Amino acid sequence: MMKIRLSKGLHGHLCEFLNKEAVGAEDSIRTIIKFLSQEPSQDRELAVSLLYELSKSEILCEKIGSVYGAILILVGMASSKSENISTVEKILDNLEKSEENIKQMAENGRLQPLLTLLLEGSPERQLSMGSYLGELVLANDVKLFVAQTVGSSLVNVMKSGSIQAKEAALKALNQISSNEASAKVLIEAGILPPLVKDLFTAGIKQLPMRLKEVAASILVNLVSSGADFVVIPLDDNNQTLVSDETVHNLLHLIRNTGPAIECKLLQVLVELTGSPHLVTDIVTAVKSSGATISLIQFIEAYQKDIRAASLKLLRNISPYMGNELADALRGSPGHLGSLVKVISESDTIFEEQAAAAALLADLPNRDTGLTRQLLEKGAFRIAASKVVSIRNGETRINRYTDPFFEGLVVVLSRVTYALQDEPRCVALAREYNVAALFTDLLQMNGHDKVQIVAASALQNLSQESRRLTRIIKPPPPPGLFKRCCMKPPLLDEICPLHKGICSVRENFCLLEGKAVEKLVSCLEHRNEKLVEASLGALCTILNDGVDIAEGVLALCQAEGIRPVLDILIENRTELLQQRAVWAVERILRIDEIAKEVAGDPTVASALVEAFRNADFVTRQIAERALKHTEKLPNFSDTLQKIG
């Protein structure tokens, strides 16, 4: 076999070489290709020229393309500032005579020849190019280019093509729709109506299940694009992707297909419910379809991806249908136990665990029956231990840590809503010292939800403090021998607020837990919900049944009087006004403070405003507060006088 060695003398003998059959031998072509990758030289120029002449032969085109790396080198030269670029382009144009070469070009980034065949080639070639396009791994910018170039053509194939053509089109669309920008182009090209029709069609004309799975994958890609699916019609009746009928059909498919399609359609609903703009439409459809129990059943699916998708979907809809989910879970302890198991499974936090914790957190916190079941499943012990572990830095942090932690804190706070009805909740709160834990969580700046939950939990705990306080009986009368050795408690051991023996662990006393100062520090927060929760907790030390004067003193010592008055003056929300008016009326029962406030016209004005415009109960309280302000002295002396 004759091998060609390119040299300076090659140019003069080019025609002679071209007449020799040996030039077409694979080894000879491989030798020529080697010179293409060298630095610019005369040999490289001659190699390009020779390759151009060879590429004029259709038979040799296939041989050139079969040489490993040949087309990659040529495509690279064409996209660079090569001195031979025009000749290289001509070579590539010639090589397009071979379908295999076109596929190699597409694989190496030169897609236009493939797309041209897809648009203009024979039906057989269109089918071949469409199938191959579905196998390519494309960069996002290339996906957009492809969608803009052939998206409409592929959509038309979906509408009227044969099963074989639809299969090729679906695979190509699945590839190019996995980018937000290209997905939007396909939506504009009208992909949704035929896609949804193919998914829902049953009977003789239905797609094979393997293609319905591809269609479901495309739909997942499309709904991830962020398009406004409320206004995109699917048919002449203006049904949309979030219409009740469409969602009902999706839910029906989820219940009646195999795991692969189930998972993808669950992911479709996850994406739709992840949008605040769309979630209420999906929730309405889920409620009207009666599919709640069916969705909950997927919590126990054997396939992890289905379980994870169902948990994410339930997490997204739980803020809007917590009661329905609670009813379903209460009636199915096994599913509730599965949720608890998910949050306990691993020391590493996964999205599935974060979703499970968020779902449990959204269930109605005053549902005592559900709380009892969670107690029996050990949910609160798991939540408490994991909260402490994360707070102490003993758990590896990742992007799911914050939502998981937040969900666990809410789950743990359920205990504080059942203290009166469930003695086991009191025992657990004492065992894990949850009052101290929630007091610590008040200091998690930057985690507003955690702070809000902690303040609300402390309010619940503090409301039970008086009931749980160990009241000291008066000392026995002198002369009783049996009691002569019993020492009465020291005066400083008695809680001034509750008039008994208090502790943060046993009766959740805010004073003993040093929580008053931390709650006061939250009163100036920009988050109104946190201010509302913190003020609600502070109001418990001014309640009937405690020594209100001592509660006011504690508030004074924590420098909390002025912030409460400021909240009253600012009148930021209705709930803040109600709580501030109530607290101020209690505070003004102390004469010295009432005298001081009497000289502050802004406080009086705020009370007058509440008296005129608030709800009936708040108006009555504001009236009582105004009556207290006809007295005098100075705030700076108040502490000493009360103390």
Side-chain angles (χ1 to χ4, degrees), residues 574-575 577-579 581 609-623:
E574 183 178 358
L575 181 57
Q577 183 189 52
Q578 292 170 352
R579 289 183 173 175
V581 168
E609 175 67 20
F611 175 68
R612 292 176 55 204
N613 298 312
D615 61 90
F616 177 74
V617 173
T618 303
R619 289 204 306 271
Q620 287 186 315
I621 297 171
E623 182 181 11

Side-chain angles (χ1 to χ4, degrees), residues 207-246:
L207 284 179
M209 280 301 171
R210 72 177 191 282
L211 296 187
K212 284 200 174 189
E213 183 181 341
V214 180
S217 294
I218 296 170
L219 190 55
V220 174
N221 293 338
L222 297 177
V223 297
S224 302
S225 69
D228 188 358
F229 295 102
V230 173
V231 298
I232 302 172
L234 297 179
D235 55 28
D236 295 336
N237 297 322
N238 290 320
Q239 291 290 316
T240 69
L241 202 55
V242 295
S243 296
D244 279 7
E245 182 179 337
T246 309

Side-chain angles (χ1 to χ4, degrees), residues 192-391:
L192 274 174
L195 184 70
V196 173
K197 181 181 178 182
D198 281 343
L199 269 173
F200 293 162
T201 298
I204 298 174
K205 295 184 178 180
Q206 74 172 340
L207 284 179
M209 280 301 171
R210 72 177 191 282
L211 296 187
K212 284 200 174 189
E213 183 181 341
V214 180
S217 294
I218 296 170
L219 190 55
V220 174
N221 293 338
L222 297 177
V223 297
S224 302
S225 69
D228 188 358
F229 295 102
V230 173
V231 298
I232 302 172
L234 297 179
D235 55 28
D236 295 336
N237 297 322
N238 290 320
Q239 291 290 316
T240 69
L241 202 55
V242 295
S243 296
D244 279 7
E245 182 179 337
T246 309
V247 178
H248 290 172
N249 285 331
L250 285 170
L251 291 167
H252 177 76
L253 269 180
I254 289 170
R255 293 194 296 265
N256 294 282
T257 54
I261 298 179
E262 285 172 356
C263 184
K264 288 178 171 55
L265 294 181
L266 283 170
Q267 289 170 356
V268 168
L269 293 178
V270 169
E271 292 294 336
L272 292 174
T273 54
S275 165
H277 181 51
L278 304 175
V279 62
T280 52
D281 291 316
I282 305 299
V283 166
T284 300
V286 170
K287 287 181 178 179
S288 63
S289 71
T292 306
I293 294 176
S294 297
L295 292 176
I296 285 176
Q297 288 174 346
F298 285 115
I299 292 172
E300 296 193 72
Y302 175 76
Q303 297 85 356
K304 185 174 181 180
D305 53 354
I306 292 178
R307 189 169 67 245
S310 69
L311 282 170
K312 286 187 277 187
L313 172 59
L314 293 169
R315 172 198 62 194
N316 288 350
I317 64 177
S318 59
Y320 307 89
M321 49 188 302
N323 288 322
E324 291 85 351
L325 292 172
D327 289 342
L329 287 168
R330 200 185 314 105
S332 179
H335 295 143
L336 190 62
S338 294
L339 272 178
V340 174
K341 183 180 178 182
V342 169
I343 66 173
S344 68
E345 277 179 342
S346 174
D347 292 332
T348 302
I349 301 168
F350 298 104
E351 185 178 14
E352 186 179 349
Q353 290 176 291
L359 170 56
L360 287 171
D362 281 328
L363 300 176
N365 50 29
R366 296 186 186 277
D367 187 328
T368 307
L370 192 61
T371 298
R372 289 192 177 108
Q373 288 190 358
L374 287 168
L375 266 171
E376 290 160 6
K377 301 294 181 185
F380 302 123
R381 294 181 181 278
I382 293 167
S385 62
K386 285 189 174 289
V387 165
V388 171
S389 176
I390 294 171
R391 183 65 173 146

Side-chain angles (χ1 to χ4, degrees), residues 28-42:
S28 302
I29 294 174
R30 187 178 293 108
T31 301
I32 296 170
I33 298 298
K34 285 182 180 179
F35 280 89
L36 296 180
S37 58
Q38 293 186 1
E39 290 298 319
S41 65
Q42 188 177 6

Side-chain angles (χ1 to χ4, degrees), residues 122-247:
S122 65
E124 294 77 13
R125 283 200 154 188
Q126 287 180 331
L127 183 61
S128 175
M129 293 300 106
S131 297
Y132 192 72
L133 181 59
E135 297 173 8
L136 292 174
V137 177
L138 305 175
N140 284 337
D141 57 338
V142 179
K143 291 175 186 175
L144 177 59
F145 169 71
V146 174
Q148 292 168 334
T149 307
V150 298
S152 295
S153 177
L154 293 171
V155 170
N156 287 334
V157 172
M158 288 182 60
K159 293 177 181 177
S160 57
S162 64
I163 288 293
Q164 292 82 0
K166 280 189 175 184
E167 181 169 5
L170 284 168
K171 289 180 178 178
L173 288 165
N174 190 32
Q175 171 65 252
I176 62 177
S177 64
S178 57
N179 169 49
E180 181 179 320
S182 58
K184 288 181 177 177
V185 170
L186 294 174
I187 291 171
E188 290 173 5
I191 189 176
L192 274 174
L195 184 70
V196 173
K197 181 181 178 182
D198 281 343
L199 269 173
F200 293 162
T201 298
I204 298 174
K205 295 184 178 180
Q206 74 172 340
L207 284 179
M209 280 301 171
R210 72 177 191 282
L211 296 187
K212 284 200 174 189
E213 183 181 341
V214 180
S217 294
I218 296 170
L219 190 55
V220 174
N221 293 338
L222 297 177
V223 297
S224 302
S225 69
D228 188 358
F229 295 102
V230 173
V231 298
I232 302 172
L234 297 179
D235 55 28
D236 295 336
N237 297 322
N238 290 320
Q239 291 290 316
T240 69
L241 202 55
V242 295
S243 296
D244 279 7
E245 182 179 337
T246 309
V247 178

Side-chain angles (χ1 to χ4, degrees), residues 337-565:
S338 294
L339 272 178
V340 174
K341 183 180 178 182
V342 169
I343 66 173
S344 68
E345 277 179 342
S346 174
D347 292 332
T348 302
I349 301 168
F350 298 104
E351 185 178 14
E352 186 179 349
Q353 290 176 291
L359 170 56
L360 287 171
D362 281 328
L363 300 176
N365 50 29
R366 296 186 186 277
D367 187 328
T368 307
L370 192 61
T371 298
R372 289 192 177 108
Q373 288 190 358
L374 287 168
L375 266 171
E376 290 160 6
K377 301 294 181 185
F380 302 123
R381 294 181 181 278
I382 293 167
S385 62
K386 285 189 174 289
V387 165
V388 171
S389 176
I390 294 171
R391 183 65 173 146
N392 291 343
E394 298 166 1
T395 300
R396 185 177 178 182
I397 303 299
N398 60 32
R399 62 192 175 119
Y400 302 118
T401 303
D402 283 352
F404 182 57
F405 182 78
E406 182 180 292
L408 291 176
V409 170
V410 179
V411 170
L412 183 59
S413 74
R414 287 186 71 95
V415 171
T416 70
Y417 290 88
L419 297 171
Q420 283 191 17
D421 302 318
E422 181 50 71
R424 288 179 297 174
C425 285
V426 175
L428 188 139
R430 286 170 170 168
E431 179 182 352
Y432 285 93
N433 199 6
V434 296
L437 177 57
F438 285 121
T439 301
D440 175 62
L441 295 178
L442 281 177
Q443 301 174 92
M444 287 193 68
N445 296 324
H447 294 79
D448 291 9
K449 180 66 178 293
V450 171
Q451 291 178 289
I452 292 167
V453 173
S456 298
L458 287 172
Q459 177 182 350
N460 296 337
L461 290 163
S462 181
Q463 284 173 339
E464 297 301 308
S465 293
R466 176 62 180 156
R467 180 174 69 86
L468 299 173
T469 298
R470 183 160 61 91
I471 302 299
I472 302 302
K473 295 179 180 179
L480 290 178
F481 176 76
K482 289 185 179 180
R483 298 183 182 179
C484 66
C485 296
M486 295 177 62
K487 295 182 179 179
L490 298 175
L491 194 59
D492 58 4
E493 291 179 351
I494 298 176
C495 173
L497 189 65
H498 300 112
K499 306 305 180 187
I501 303 298
C502 285
S503 75
V504 64
R505 179 184 289 273
E506 293 299 318
N507 74 325
F508 323 129
C509 177
L510 295 186
L511 269 63
E512 290 294 322
K514 312 298 182 189
V516 176
E517 296 85 350
K518 296 178 178 66
L519 288 165
V520 167
S521 70
C522 294
L523 293 182
E524 296 178 355
H525 200 280
R526 65 182 181 278
N527 189 318
E528 292 167 347
K529 296 295 182 184
L530 177 54
V531 179
E532 288 172 354
S534 301
L535 183 55
L538 288 169
C539 285
T540 61
I541 66 173
L542 306 175
N543 269 338
D544 293 334
V546 303
D547 190 319
I548 296 175
E550 292 293 340
V552 173
L553 175 59
L555 202 56
C556 276
Q557 290 172 332
E559 300 182 358
I561 301 282
R562 187 71 250 174
V564 172
L565 295 175

